[in-house]
Amino acid sequence: MRKLGGLLVLALVLGGCGEEVAPRAGTTPSLGLRAIEPSGGTSSYAETPGATKPAPYPTTPLPHRPDLPPEAYQRITVVRLQAPDAALHVPPDGYAQVIFACSYEEWSWQYQYNLQTSYNPPGRHLRGDEIGDYLGSISASESGRALGSAGDPVSDDWMARSYTEDSWPDRQLVTAYQVKRVNLTRAKVLAARNAYAKGCSAMYTAPLLDAVRVSIYAPWDWRI
């Protein structure tokens, strides 16, 4: 009987395992986001000295958008800057400044990152003023590699260096990348923009590509 009981327990445990399924539109998935405790409860958020209370847990349902046609990922509008944006750090000589900016959605990767951590308190740069705020992993890794020399692992710009400002909890995000001339191509800027849009858009649905504003300064004649 003891063996039979143990087998039943094991079967119940194994029966609870399964693959993760993307939530349906109109539902409120957890996505790893932890709701703020009611007043008097114990907060489970990471504590950072000087951090402010995080924005409320999303109350809007996960949006649903139709899949984008392939050609949408190949379209881009770029603002040509006559000078680098000094507020986002002037790039070194020989580098372009590629700036992405967006208002990120609830349920986006950047929103989840800020909701789970206290790493982007208003008015402070925990990473230092030369780097700025933390960028969510999707935008940080994919956009950085796209604008860098990812094919050369020993290059000093294997991932393009960047500076980020996040106005959390107001959800305004801007990142300036330092890009070598050889890497300032349409294909690379498109790949980086598409990845940045993914980080700014709600998960499990089509990204808001046009919501990412793209500005470029380069001290040479260039086209995208």
Side-chain angles (χ1 to χ4, degrees):
M1 291 299 291
R2 288 182 180 176
K3 291 183 178 179
L4 178 59
L7 290 174
L8 288 174
V9 171
L10 178 60
L12 288 173
V13 171
L14 293 177
C17 300
E19 295 182 356
E20 180 183 0
V21 178
R24 296 179 180 178
T27 63
T28 305
S30 66
L31 304 181
L33 301 177
R34 293 165 292 183
I36 294 176
E37 296 284 346
S39 59
T42 302
S43 174
S44 58
Y45 291 93
E47 296 293 334
T48 301
T52 59
K53 184 178 180 180
Y57 186 79
T59 56
T60 57
L62 187 72
H64 174 71
R65 292 185 285 267
D67 292 339
L68 296 173
E71 57 268 23
Y73 294 89
Q74 302 301 316
R75 293 193 295 263
I76 191 170
T77 299
V78 177
V79 174
R80 184 183 294 264
L81 301 177
Q82 299 304 311
D85 189 331
L88 299 175
H89 290 210
V90 175
D93 292 341
Y95 282 76
Q97 186 184 56
V98 177
I99 302 172
F100 296 147
C102 74
S103 298
Y104 54 93
E105 294 186 288
E106 290 186 343
W107 302 113
S108 66
W109 293 103
Q110 188 69 24
Y111 190 96
Q112 175 185 240
Y113 182 85
N114 281 327
L115 196 61
Q116 288 184 323
T117 72
S118 297
Y119 291 166
N120 288 334
R124 295 183 58 194
H125 295 144
L126 299 184
R127 303 180 69 190
D129 291 338
E130 291 301 312
I131 299 177
D133 289 319
Y134 283 85
L135 189 60
S137 59
I138 294 292
S139 300
S141 61
E142 295 185 20
S143 296
R145 284 200 301 270
L147 293 173
S149 302
D152 182 3
V154 298
S155 173
D156 60 352
D157 74 327
W158 180 76
M159 288 183 64
R161 293 185 178 90
S162 64
Y163 176 85
T164 296
E165 285 284 355
D166 185 337
S167 68
W168 177 258
D170 295 332
R171 294 190 282 129
Q172 301 297 316
L173 184 70
V174 59
T175 303
Y177 293 90
Q178 299 174 5
V179 182
K180 285 183 176 179
R181 182 168 186 164
V182 68
N183 292 325
L184 189 64
T185 66
R186 181 179 179 84
K188 281 181 165 289
V189 173
L190 274 169
R193 188 282 311 267
N194 294 344
Y196 202 87
K198 214 169 17 171
C200 292
S201 304
M203 306 175 191
Y204 303 115
T205 192
L208 297 172
L209 300 178
D210 293 338
V212 177
R213 301 175 297 281
V214 184
S215 306
I216 298 178
Y217 164 79
W220 60 80
D221 187 24
W222 57 275
R223 292 182 181 179
I224 294 296

